[in-house]
Amino acid sequence: MAGTIYKKPILFAVVVTVGILIGTAVMMVFPMLTPQMHPKLQNLNPYTALQLAGRDVYQEEGCFYCHTQTVRPLKAEVMRYGEYSKAGEFAYDQPFLWGSKRTGPDIARVGGKYTDKWHYKHFNDPRKLFQGSNMPSYGWLADRQVDAKAAEARMNALGFPYTKEEMAALSDKTKLDALVAYMQSLGHAVPRKPRPPMIAKGDMNPLAGDMNAVAEGKKVYEMNCAACHGVDAKGDIGPDLTDKEWLYVVGPVGDDTLFFTIADGTKKDMEFEGRRAKGGMPSWGEFFGKKKIWSLVSYIRSMEEKE
Amino acid sequence: MAEDTSYEWKPVKGFALSGLFWGAVSVLIGLIISIQLWKPELNIAPFLTYGKLRAVHVNGLAFGFAVAEIFALSYYMVQRLTRVPLLFPKLAMVQLYIFNAAIVAAAVSLLAGMTQSKEYAELEWPLDIGVVILWVMFAVNIFGTIIKRKEEQMYISLWYLIATVIAVAVLYVVNNLAIPVGLFKSYSIFAGVNDANIEWWYGHNAVGFVFTTPILAMFYYFLPKSTGMPIYSHRLSIIAFWSLVFAYLWTGAHHLVYTPLPDWIQTVGIAFTMFMIAPSWGSVVNGYYTLAPDWSQMKTNYLAKFFILGITFYGLQTIQGPTQGLRVVSQLIHYTDWVPGHVHMGTMGWVAMTVGASMYYVIPKVYNTEIYSVKLANTHFWFVLIGQLIFSITMWILGIQQGAMWKAISPDDGSLSYTFMESVVNNYPYWKMRTVGGLLFFVGLCMFAYNIVMTVLRAKKIPAPAGQGR
Ligand code: HEM
Ligand code: HEM
């Protein structure tokens, strides 16, 4: 038979079909029939109508050609982006949007990392926040309304729950509002593991009074902090750092508190010396060692004193 | 030759020239997106941002260029190899018109942001139906002609064509299953991890059965034809064919290494990925040994040069690919610019070279003339070769740098050495270099298009002397 198959096109086609279906059956069909391919984390929520509209924009604009949405279980990656992605986080993702290329950073855990205001500013002109960014500007999304009529059909198609009020609220939302809502919805189903504190409570700045540290801190500040707190540190997306008023501390602030704010950032509703934070300050402990952070503290103190 | 007159060359001509046109446009768009990456101001309008144009580039080349040339050259090969004319020539012409309309619609819809956002399966559901119809038309003609054949034995190229027709049909239909919401939007019927697994089962094999098996069909047919040397080993061809067809479908998971996809799927996928070296190199070795008795053709026969360089890049690609699948390599190069380096060695080196040479052979045959300029074809060769090497090599260097910067941890305090922005800034010189490589490639492609067009125009003016069609 072996030789004659090349004379029998139908038989040949059948054998080829069987050949390709074996791998298909084992690697694709069989897994689909098992629960391991359909996990769902308990605190995972379906998208709201506004978030789904934002996800649609994310698809339309091809953001996934530059951004991934899955953090790999590798040490440096978990430090950079947060807890690695779990299979159960994607149960409502039709289609999945993991992506295959990181021209921009992974955004699986970007929800809550920044304030809404930051996102609006960033989408309007990424280069206002990061001079060297090559992300396109998406300010024009603010001129396009969310298609409130289509939204209901889309929620129904996916079987996501919604309320009448939610739908009504869509009518004055722009595509940019929706996109920001989607960004803020990402990555909450897995709790963030707290990093062990880098310093002890009550620690004082070992670099206090060191003029080199102030210069070093200024350099680090200009590269990483100025975009949000302003070049003069008088505040923009983040608060004024030169005044004597602190968000979560009454009266003078301790070195250690400044250190922790910079190292760990703030998250919405996080308890902070008895007050609730608004969030939006990213954490820097993964990027800066103790010395750099203390230098930043020195620099902030130096501005404080000037006043 | 009396026989020639009964063959149906019109669909061959139509698809070959359509594919050339869409290829040139899509490569130009590739050039534009490569500039957008280092000059974001070039995102000049909402429908011309990187996210839109990149989809047009990839779909334009996969569907507009590669699939059109597959149609063209398959219709040529199948008639020659069966020694009967195409069974339904009118159907093939209808297919040609629908095809071109579909490519226009595809480009417009992608620019408008209508996308399923699964790579290589971006087109929305009405276009998917169009693609399926086109493919069925193709299948009917190919199978019909083969069944009516006068040559009892099916040559290797026909095996690869049959595999292509079947595999693409299965892959395309399953991965595009979706819930439509209106005419322009749909949601995948699969979710999350499962959707990812299906997408890359599809995605890897879309590459396999669009950029590999039909190209191998061309290689096995046109290399012997244009050099006069028979394929070195029939037995090697048999082994390479069956092992490739069997193993390809197991390997998609190598695109999902270290993602939440269950570990066993990743591991089995990687194991089969390693195995893929064997069938691939079966064809590479077969190609080299075919020309080996008369290696001097590399100097004297410009087509031999294209084919041998093409199969060389296929060989490099199929060593690099399995290497990339390994976990230790994937953790470094996955998500980086290394991957576009890999992609374009395959597409610009293997696919574009082999298709180009096949067209240089076929166009004069079907127009019954000689190629307009061999000298220009030689210049074309060097431009696309150097352009592609610059592209791939810069991207490999850059990819390794990105991977290294993303994972670098300072030994002093255990903190990450680089912010993401620092790695972005590091990309710019390399991205600019890639544009230079792309420009060379594009110039080479223009020479190719000019050469083909002039051949066609000249043939129309002066009918060639009789007996040209070999
Ligand atoms: C034995 C053969 C091959 C193997 C095992 C292989 C393996 C791989 C792997 C592992 C990746 C994923 C890289 C990553 O994202 O980390 C990849 C990507 C890719 N390869 Fe290959 N490759 C092979 C041959 C080819 C050939 C001949 C082509 C022809 C053009 C090709 C085109 C591509 C494309 C287009 C991608 C990008 C997919 C995407 O992310 O969109 N490969 N390949
Ligand atoms: C002037 C020549 C070309 C240039 C400048 C160019 C440029 C590009 C760029 C910038 C990307 C995006 C890479 C990224 O995601 O970072 C890309 C992707 C791609 N190009 Fe090209 N390209 C060229 C020619 C071609 C040709 C001839 C083909 C096919 C026959 C091709 C097929 C593809 C494919 C399949 C992808 C998707 C890869 C992936 O998903 O990883 N390109 N190209």
Side-chain angles (χ1 to χ4, degrees), chain A:
Chain A
M1 187 209 105
T4 61
I5 188 172
Y6 306 104
K7 296 178 181 157
K8 299 197 169 119
I10 309 249
L11 177 66
F12 186 91
V14 171
V15 177
V16 165
T17 309
V18 172
I20 64 169
L21 287 183
I22 296 173
T24 300
V26 178
M27 301 301 281
M28 194 272 273
V29 181
F30 166 70
M32 194 182 336
L33 304 175
T34 63
Q36 59 174 340
M37 293 304 261
H38 311 278
K40 189 190 295 179
L41 288 183
Q42 227 150 34
N43 52 347
L44 182 74
N45 297 317
Y47 295 102
T48 65
L50 187 62
Q51 290 164 355
L52 182 68
R55 196 170 194 270
D56 292 342
V57 176
Y58 190 86
Q59 286 186 248
E60 281 165 26
E61 294 309 319
C63 310
F64 55 90
Y65 291 123
C66 282
H67 291 286
T68 57
Q69 290 191 19
T70 157
V71 181
R72 296 177 294 175
L74 305 169
K75 183 178 173 207
E77 195 146 324
V78 170
M79 282 172 75
R80 187 180 294 280
Y81 299 120
E83 184 61 14
Y84 67 87
S85 295
K86 310 289 189 288
E89 289 182 76
F90 304 97
Y92 296 112
D93 285 11
Q94 287 176 262
F96 81 115
L97 291 173
W98 292 354
S100 67
K101 176 83 203 312
R102 283 183 187 153
T103 300
D106 187 276
I107 54 172
R109 306 246 173 265
V110 85
K113 179 175 171 186
Y114 301 115
T115 57
D116 287 358
K117 194 174 161 200
W118 184 92
H119 281 291
Y120 282 100
K121 187 170 174 184
H122 184 247
F123 284 129
N124 256 307
D125 187 358
R127 278 148 295 283
K128 284 248 169 64
L129 290 166
F130 300 97
Q131 224 184 13
S133 174
N134 65 352
M135 173 160 149
S137 305
Y138 289 101
W140 51 271
L141 284 173
D143 306 329
R144 313 228 164 156
Q145 291 307 119
V146 166
D147 186 346
K149 269 199 224 113
E152 197 156 340
R154 293 179 179 189
M155 292 295 278
N156 288 338
L158 293 171
F160 293 166
Y162 57 86
T163 60
K164 274 225 164 67
E165 297 77 59
E166 198 187 333
M167 284 297 159
L170 281 184
S171 57
D172 62 347
K173 291 286 194 275
T174 68
K175 288 196 166 184
L176 193 57
D177 299 331
L179 189 60
V180 171
Y182 174 56
M183 290 293 108
Q184 299 292 29
S185 77
L186 288 171
H188 296 297
V190 174
R192 206 182 165 83
K193 277 195 198 135
R195 194 162 19 80
M198 290 170 76
I199 54 165
K201 254 201 147 65
D203 275 5
M204 303 285 277
N205 186 354
L207 305 176
D210 178 348
M211 280 327 278
N212 289 338
V214 175
E216 160 82 3
K218 185 169 192 300
K219 234 173 57 203
V220 178
Y221 178 90
E222 279 165 0
M223 269 192 63
N224 301 286
C225 323
C228 284
H229 291 279
V231 186
D232 54 3
K234 292 281 187 198
D236 181 356
I237 285 164
D240 189 335
L241 300 180
T242 62
D243 60 9
K244 294 232 162 64
E245 286 178 32
W246 300 97
L247 288 171
Y248 306 112
V249 182
V250 191
V253 69
D255 284 353
D256 59 338
T257 304
L258 275 181
F259 187 105
F260 281 126
T261 309
I262 299 169
D264 300 334
T266 69
K267 279 270 174 303
K268 197 176 173 194
D269 290 340
M270 152 176 137
E271 288 279 335
F272 217 106
E273 313 244 324
R275 301 197 192 183
R276 280 189 178 283
K278 286 205 301 280
M281 166 72 183
S283 66
W284 296 92
E286 297 81 6
F287 294 96
F288 304 153
K290 272 191 241 178
K291 188 155 165 268
K292 265 196 190 162
I293 298 180
W294 283 128
S295 307
L296 281 165
V297 173
S298 296
Y299 177 58
I300 293 171
R301 292 289 192 210
S302 77
M303 291 187 287
E304 220 180 2
E305 279 151 18
K306 257 187 237 142
E307 251 188 284

Side-chain angles (χ1 to χ4, degrees), chain B residues 272-284 315 318-323:
Chain B
F272 275 86
T273 299
M274 295 302 113
F275 172 76
M276 283 302 295
I277 297 181
S280 312
W281 270 76
S283 293
V284 176
T318 53
I319 292 180
Q320 186 181 56
T323 314

Side-chain angles (χ1 to χ4, degrees), chain A residues 6-7 23-24 27 36 56 59-60 64-65 73 80 90 93-96 100 102 104 132 134 286 289, chain B residues 37 52 54 117 119 122 149 153-154 187-188 190 192 195 197 201 242 264 335 406 413 416 418 428 431:
Chain A
Y6 306 104
K7 296 178 181 157
T24 300
M27 301 301 281
Q36 59 174 340
D56 292 342
Q59 286 186 248
E60 281 165 26
F64 55 90
Y65 291 123
R80 187 180 294 280
F90 304 97
D93 285 11
Q94 287 176 262
F96 81 115
S100 67
R102 283 183 187 153
N134 65 352
E286 297 81 6
Chain B
L37 283 176
K52 308 273 173 66
R54 188 190 186 284
S117 53
E119 281 183 76
E122 280 96 343
R149 74 196 180 287
Q153 184 88 7
M154 293 189 294
Y187 293 110
S188 173
F190 310 110
D195 193 42
N197 191 40
W201 161 81
W242 289 109
W264 74 264
Y335 304 135
W406 293 346
D413 53 20
L416 294 169
Y418 302 99
Y428 289 121
W431 278 342

Side-chain angles (χ1 to χ4, degrees), chain A residues 100-101, chain B residues 54 119-120 200 203-204 207-208 211-212 248 251 254-255 257 272-274 276-277 280 313-314 317-326 330 333-336 338-340 342-348 350-351:
Chain A
S100 67
K101 176 83 203 312
Chain B
R54 188 190 186 284
E119 281 183 76
Y120 313 103
W200 284 111
H204 180 70
V207 168
F211 289 144
T212 304
Y248 233 112
T251 56
H254 63 218
H255 291 267
V257 178
F272 275 86
T273 299
M274 295 302 113
M276 283 302 295
I277 297 181
S280 312
F313 286 125
Y314 178 65
Q317 188 81 351
T318 53
I319 292 180
Q320 186 181 56
T323 314
Q324 284 165 196
L326 290 169
S330 181
I333 57 91
H334 194 38
Y335 304 135
T336 70
W338 172 283
V339 181
H342 168 74
V343 170
H344 288 85
M345 173 165 65
T347 53
M348 296 161 93
W350 155 240
V351 177

